[in-house]
């Protein structure tokens, strides 16, 4: 099963593989280093949950699925709102934390753009009974 997921991942366009492995996963794991900062625990939970909820989807689909966009919308939608509120309300943030939050906000907002597209196509395929996952 893990091999099926890996083969599915490797069949994605190279730029998507790079985006996921070099940008998306590391940036969404990084909140673990900032859990002692204002709202750091909430930010870490939302960032990590957005990724963790994809594990059962990958296992059920035995690979990548457009359904993986749904946990991102569920968790990272609120995450970008929380980050925007923290950045705008707390001027006492350390420069490192504020810079990281800005990066996380940009990366996850871009990802949400892709996720809106993928979730639309997933819902459309489901409504036409073309795809179980």
């Amino acid at each position: 099963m893990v091999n099926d997921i890996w083969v599915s991942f490797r069949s994605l366009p190279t730029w998507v593989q790079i985006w996921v492995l070099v940008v998306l996963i590391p940036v969404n794991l990084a909140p673990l280093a900032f859990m002692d900062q204002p709202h750091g625990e909430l930010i870490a939970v939302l960032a990590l949950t957005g990724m963790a909820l994809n594990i059962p989807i990958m296992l059920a689909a035995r690979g990548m699925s457009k359904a993986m966009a749904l946990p991102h919308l569920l968790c990272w939608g609120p995450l970008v709102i929380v980050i925007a509120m923290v950045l705008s309300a707390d001027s006492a943030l350390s420069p490192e934390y504020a810079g990281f939050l800005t990066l996380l906000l940009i990366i996850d907002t871009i990802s949400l753009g892709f996720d809106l597209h993928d979730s639309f196509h997933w819902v459309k395929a489901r409504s036409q009974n073309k795809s179980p996952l």
Side-chain angles (χ1 to χ4, degrees):
M1 182 170 306
V2 172
N3 188 55
D4 294 336
I5 294 169
W6 180 249
V7 168
S8 176
F9 176 75
R10 294 293 293 155
S11 71
L12 296 172
T14 303
W15 75 267
V16 174
Q17 294 177 53
I18 293 169
W19 169 257
V20 170
L21 288 178
V22 176
V23 178
L24 201 59
I25 291 173
V27 169
N28 280 283
L29 286 174
L32 290 171
F34 294 98
M35 289 183 52
D36 62 337
Q37 298 295 313
H39 306 285
E41 291 178 4
L42 175 60
I43 290 167
V45 166
L46 290 170
L48 295 171
T49 304
M51 292 189 300
L53 290 175
N54 278 319
I55 294 170
I57 295 170
M58 287 187 290
L59 292 172
R62 298 185 66 92
M64 302 293 107
S65 166
K66 291 194 183 300
M68 293 171 65
L70 302 174
H72 293 170
L73 296 175
L74 178 70
C75 298
W76 293 351
L79 174 61
V80 300
I81 293 168
V82 167
I83 293 170
M85 290 171 46
V86 169
L87 285 171
S88 66
D90 196 342
S91 61
L93 299 176
S94 72
E96 297 81 13
Y97 186 50
F100 168 70
L101 289 179
T102 301
L103 175 65
L104 183 59
L105 178 65
I106 292 166
I107 297 300
D108 283 356
T109 300
I110 291 168
S111 181
L112 287 170
F114 296 135
D115 293 328
L116 285 170
H117 176 267
D118 285 352
S119 63
F120 172 79
H121 288 286
W122 181 80
V123 168
K124 184 177 174 184
R126 292 277 303 162
S127 69
Q128 297 171 351
N129 293 321
K130 290 184 179 178
S131 172
L133 278 175

